[in-house]
Amino acid sequence: MKKYVCEPCGYVYDPEVGDPDGGIAPGTAFEDLPEDWMCPLCGAGKDMFAAEE
């Protein structure tokens, strides 16, 4: 599974880790995150993330 980077702040969403503080279980692909999920650091929406090369 690909990691995704928040373009405004640089936070990396790693599907192997998930977002425990946001209630996202490890193993959750970025595509499977709720549409209203936001960056835990800066609050940017999913549309502000880009796949990591």
Side-chain angles (χ1 to χ4, degrees):
M1 287 188 278
K2 286 187 178 178
K3 295 179 182 179
Y4 282 76
V5 180
C6 180
E7 294 184 315
C9 77
Y11 169 82
V12 177
Y13 176 76
D14 183 346
E16 292 185 15
V17 176
D19 176 18
D21 293 339
I24 306 298
T28 302
F30 185 82
E31 295 81 5
D32 295 334
L33 291 172
E35 284 305 311
D36 61 351
W37 181 84
M38 295 187 303
C39 175
L41 294 185
C42 74
K46 283 177 66 177
D47 60 333
M48 298 300 292
F49 280 72
E52 189 174 70
E53 296 300 323

